[in-house]
Amino acid sequence: MQTAIHLLSALAEPTRLGAIRLLWDGREHCLCELMRELDATQSRMSRHMAALKHAGLVVDRRDAQWVRYRRNPHLSDNLGIIVDAVLASLPDAATRKAA
Amino acid sequence: MQTAIHLLSALAEPTRLGAIRLLWDGREHCLCELMRELDATQSRMSRHMAALKHAGLVVDRRDAQWVRYRRNPHLSDNLGIIVDAVLASLPDAATRKAA
DNA sequence: CTTTTATATATGGTAATGCGCATATGCGGT
DNA sequence: ACCGCATATGCGCATTACCATATATAAAAG
């Protein structure tokens, strides 16, 4: 129960949900890229990513100056299904790039 | 996006999630029953149910002194799938009655 | 060793959330 | 009309969440 609550709280914030959407392409993204895409300030983005990491949704890796975030490959199936369902519910406009 | 966030916030609270779990049996439950099952005070339970109603997850109906709550039958498929996935992730202990 | 770029964190302010308590309201029974 | 049960709501408080600003850390480059 506690686990599900933590996951839901982590997802229930626009910037964090946006980050999950971007990271769910399976690739790595550095903080600076997420900042740009989601139009977030540096400290905001950093804190939100720390929250997602703490919730076990993502993992990070130092690469020179950058910190690369990616989907946690060991995320349990139960929880992965929730994330997928949430992302599937988002309007396409959220998925398409501003372009 | 806004819709998903509202749903997630509504679910991200133990008493509310517990109520959803109980109501997802498809039947009606009065507030007093939910209070008892979830060990919540009257005002707490009432407010949480108001939140779930506002989020569109449940509907209510006056029946004499009681207010009967039930799953919103017009909940969109996208959102219903999320709720189902969340409930499926809960440990069995949460689903089984205290007996 | 200083500068630049990327990221994290400390600080302090504001707003949102959840709660208990008290009170109000709705409804049936007497 | 009054009482009692079920539910809703006003109020104040405590906790938490989110934010911007400023500063600290880390790594690469010159």
Side-chain angles (χ1 to χ4, degrees):
Chain A
M1 164 79 112
Q2 211 53 358
T3 316
I5 296 287
H6 285 145
L7 178 93
L8 292 166
S9 318
L11 294 177
E13 202 281 334
T15 302
R16 288 197 295 265
L17 184 52
I20 290 298
R21 177 173 54 76
L22 292 172
L23 292 176
W24 246 241
D25 68 357
R27 287 177 296 179
E28 285 189 328
H29 300 265
C30 66
L31 189 83
C32 55
E33 184 190 343
L34 298 172
M35 285 172 59
R36 281 192 302 271
E37 298 272 356
L38 300 172
D39 195 38
T41 66
Q42 189 269 322
S43 99
R44 242 178 78 206
M45 198 72 243
S46 176
R47 284 181 188 284
H48 282 309
M49 293 315 294
L52 290 175
K53 184 177 157 186
H54 185 253
L57 279 161
V58 306
V59 294
D60 63 351
R61 170 178 78 92
R62 247 295 161 190
D63 177 16
Q65 296 105 307
W66 301 276
V67 173
R68 316 276 186 188
Y69 288 93
R70 66 181 187 283
R71 170 183 171 148
N72 176 4
H74 301 107
L75 186 65
S76 84
D77 285 355
N78 279 340
L79 303 187
I81 289 174
I82 296 176
V83 177
D84 291 342
V86 171
L87 293 179
S89 82
L90 298 179
D92 285 358
T95 307
R96 231 177 299 124
K97 288 287 280 293
Chain B
M1 162 80 112
Q2 212 50 0
T3 316
I5 296 287
H6 285 145
L7 179 93
L8 293 166
S9 319
L11 295 178
E13 200 282 335
T15 302
R16 288 198 295 266
L17 184 53
I20 290 297
R21 176 173 54 76
L22 291 173
L23 291 175
W24 246 241
D25 68 358
R27 287 177 295 179
E28 285 188 328
H29 300 264
C30 66
L31 190 83
C32 54
E33 185 191 343
L34 299 171
M35 285 172 59
R36 281 191 302 270
E37 298 272 356
L38 301 171
D39 195 37
T41 66
Q42 189 269 320
S43 99
R44 243 178 78 205
M45 198 71 244
S46 175
R47 285 178 193 285
H48 281 310
M49 293 315 293
L52 290 175
K53 185 177 156 186
H54 185 252
L57 279 162
V58 307
V59 294
D60 62 352
R61 169 178 78 93
R62 249 291 162 194
D63 177 15
Q65 297 105 306
W66 301 277
V67 173
R68 315 276 188 189
Y69 288 93
R70 66 180 185 283
R71 172 185 170 148
N72 175 6
H74 302 106
L75 186 64
S76 84
D77 285 355
N78 278 339
L79 302 187
I81 290 173
I82 297 176
V83 177
D84 292 341
V86 171
L87 293 180
S89 82
L90 297 179
D92 285 357
T95 307
R96 231 177 302 122
K97 288 287 281 294

